[in-house]
């Protein structure tokens, strides 16, 4: 090849890399075929082939026989991504008081409907076929009739449990409907799970950063959370977990292998298997939060770690709150060998869940609406992500890093060191913009300049303006600090 050609294929490789960096082509996604890409870019087939090969050699793309090229889910990190926090000093445990203090603060941020909440993930309702859901829910009320007005005892509506068990079959998880019981959402499932496997004073290992609600749940039970670093490509760092297990008596591990909130990273299957096996050997329970599992940006639904569970030691928790709608408050738990303890606790807390709503959702799933909705939702999320990453590139201070999610709808933002994200949170709130600060989600001192951003809303001018305001506030902090 002559020099000019060489430059062209390198340029094309650079363009593809740029699209991966911005999330236009997210991790795990199939890239356009060589033919389509050559047409789009108006370059020869051999140029595209060469570009793909370069990226394959750099482990950025993976070729799969008879299928094409995919963005490698383990693609090497770019300089613009947050790194794994190496280690927490003495494996820090959550300061209980601090989390307690945050709760009223969080509630008041959500209470004002005028606030634009940029950090809370919930499904974009414009994607939802409201009529189909309304019909299903109405049918649920009709079908249940007067029965629906009585206490519903655990385990919850059998038709919905059958549908959820069926849904998991698609990703290789076999559950009997009687392994499942229904809850008022994933946080309640986690609450039941921690209570079934541990007691006040026990230590639960969690990945860090992690959704603050999980820390609050552990905290509310007067248990201690122990921080395990999160690897942006591998999820919970298993070497660190092993080290922590040698030093501490850990009662359970709470983990979100499929798209941790806030990083959106996907734990590889081998790691999931290793995690399940090593915890089973030590009789340490694994509480798996799979709430984002259906929201993959790649090509296929990742397996839950529970697929590898041979001993009933994995407690699977999830809900429809992120993938369909949060308002109905319907979640579930498959607690394995802790089943009867968790059921007992559920009975004690609120007897059972919502029979008519559950019946309605069973209808929604049975008629194929949920699957259709998920296809639309994933397409929607894939379309929204680049709007947010482009806004970060455009409005946030130079040197700002952000995670590359393989799924879910959250981003972890790392501002330059001069930015105090708690101050940024307060300043943005004064302008009715809610962007949570890293210290709510992490105990690492490095989270001081981090924030959480949600990309699951439909992009709008209002969101763009809000991100510009956040960016300007961050830049002002940098100027003030360096002057
Ligand atoms: C990881 C994770 N688990 C649980 C929840 C809450 O789930 P639910 O509303 O079903 O209780 C959230 C919400 O942000 C979350 O991110």
């Amino acid at each position: 090849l002559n020099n000019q050609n060489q430059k062209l294929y390198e340029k094309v490789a650079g363009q593809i890399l740029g699209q991966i960096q911005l999330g236009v082509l997210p991790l795990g996604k199939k890239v356009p075929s060589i033919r389509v890409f050559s047409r789009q870019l108006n370059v020869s087939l051999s140029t595209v082939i060469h570009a793909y090969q370069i990226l394959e050699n750099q482990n950025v793309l993976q070729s799969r026989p008879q299928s094409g090229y995919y963005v490698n889910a383990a693609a090497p990190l770019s300089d613009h991504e947050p790194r794994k926090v190496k280690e927490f000093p003495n494996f820090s445990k959550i300061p209980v008081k601090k989390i307690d203090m945050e709760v009223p603060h969080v509630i008041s941020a959500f209470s004002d409907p005028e606030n634009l909440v940029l950090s809370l993930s919930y499904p974009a309702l414009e994607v939802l076929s409201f009529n189909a859901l309304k019909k299903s829910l109405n049918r649920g009320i009709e079908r249940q009739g007067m029965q629906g007005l009585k206490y519903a005892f655990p385990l919850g509506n059998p038709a919905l449990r059958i549908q959820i068990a069926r849904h998991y079959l698609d990703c290789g998880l076999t559950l009997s409907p009687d392994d499942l019981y229904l809850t008022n959402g994933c946080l309640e499932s986690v609450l039941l799970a921690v209570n079934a496997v541990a007691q006040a004073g026990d230590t639960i290992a969690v990945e860090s950063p992690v959704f603050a609600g999980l820390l609050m749940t552990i905290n509310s039970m007067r248990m201690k959370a122990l921080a395990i670093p999160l690897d942006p490509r591998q999820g919970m760092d298993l070497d660190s977990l092993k080290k922590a297990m040698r030093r501490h008596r850990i009662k359970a591990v709470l983990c979100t292998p499929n798209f941790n909130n806030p990083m959106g990273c996907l734990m590889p299957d081998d790691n999931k298997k290793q995690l399940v096996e090593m915890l089973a050997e030590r009789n340490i329970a694994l509480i798996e939060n799979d709430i984002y599992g259906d929201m993959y940006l790649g090509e296929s639904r990742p397996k839950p770690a529970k697929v590898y569970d041979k001993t009933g030691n994995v407690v699977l928790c999830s809900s429809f709150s992120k993938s369909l709608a949060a308002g109905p408050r319907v979640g579930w738990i498959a607690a394995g060998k802790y089943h009867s303890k968790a059921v007992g606790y559920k009975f004690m807390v609120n007897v059972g869940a919502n029979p008519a709503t559950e019946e309605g959702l069973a209808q929604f799933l049975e008629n194929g609406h949920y699957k259709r909705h998920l296809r639309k939702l994933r397409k929607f999320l894939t379309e929204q992500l680049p709007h947010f990453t482009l806004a970060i590139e455009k409005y946030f201070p130079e040197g700002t890093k952000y995670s590359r999610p393989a799924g879910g709808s959250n981003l972890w933002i790392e501002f330059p060191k001069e930015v105090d994200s708690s101050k940024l949170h307060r300043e943005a709130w004064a302008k009715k913009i809610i962007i949570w600060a890293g210290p709510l989600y992490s105990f690492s001192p490095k989270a001081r300049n981090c924030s959480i951003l949600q990309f699951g809303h439909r992009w709008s001018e209002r969101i763009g303006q809000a991100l510009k305001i956040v960016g300007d506030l961050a830049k002002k902090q940098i100027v003030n600090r360096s002057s």
Side-chain angles (χ1 to χ4, degrees), residues 109-249:
F110 288 149
S111 305
D112 183 349
E114 281 188 23
N115 283 344
L116 177 63
V117 183
L118 292 177
S119 304
L120 175 70
S121 101
Y122 55 87
L125 294 178
E126 38 298 44
V127 182
L128 185 70
S129 164
F130 181 63
N131 273 339
L133 185 59
K134 192 173 75 178
K135 249 194 212 158
S136 301
L137 291 175
N138 284 343
R139 194 157 320 142
I141 295 173
E142 273 165 27
R143 280 213 173 174
Q144 281 285 307
M146 298 290 265
Q147 287 297 325
L149 303 179
K150 293 182 179 170
Y151 276 121
F153 295 103
L155 311 167
N157 182 284
L160 183 56
R161 286 186 285 115
I162 290 171
Q163 289 304 319
I164 294 170
R166 260 192 208 150
H167 186 69
Y168 277 119
L169 273 182
D170 289 352
C171 58
L173 176 60
T174 321
L175 288 174
S176 147
D178 289 344
D179 294 334
L180 285 160
Y181 58 100
L182 305 177
T183 65
N184 291 306
C186 186
L187 272 182
E188 190 192 52
S189 304
V190 173
L191 181 74
L192 303 181
V194 292
N195 269 284
V197 304
Q199 294 178 348
D202 284 341
T203 297
I204 315 279
V206 292
E207 64 228 331
S208 182
V210 76
F211 170 53
L214 300 178
L215 299 178
M216 289 170 182
T217 303
I218 294 173
N219 198 48
S220 70
M221 291 294 109
R222 300 296 151 208
M223 295 170 189
K224 291 172 229 151
L226 182 72
I228 309 294
L230 186 70
D231 182 301
R233 289 290 187 278
Q234 312 258 314
M236 182 180 274
D237 184 63
L238 297 189
D239 287 337
S240 300
L241 176 63
K242 281 182 208 156
K243 241 189 249 171
M245 287 192 303
R246 284 198 290 273
R247 290 201 210 156
H248 295 269
R249 275 201 61 197

Side-chain angles (χ1 to χ4, degrees), residues 119-122 184-190 210-211 214 256 259-261 289 291-292 318-322 326 329-331 410 441:
S119 304
L120 175 70
S121 101
Y122 55 87
N184 291 306
C186 186
L187 272 182
E188 190 192 52
S189 304
V190 173
V210 76
F211 170 53
L214 300 178
T256 311
F259 320 127
N260 148 288
N261 173 4
N289 185 339
I291 192 168
Y292 292 105
S318 192
S319 77
F320 291 114
S321 303
K322 308 295 168 186
R329 307 308 297 140
V330 176
N410 303 290
Y441 276 52

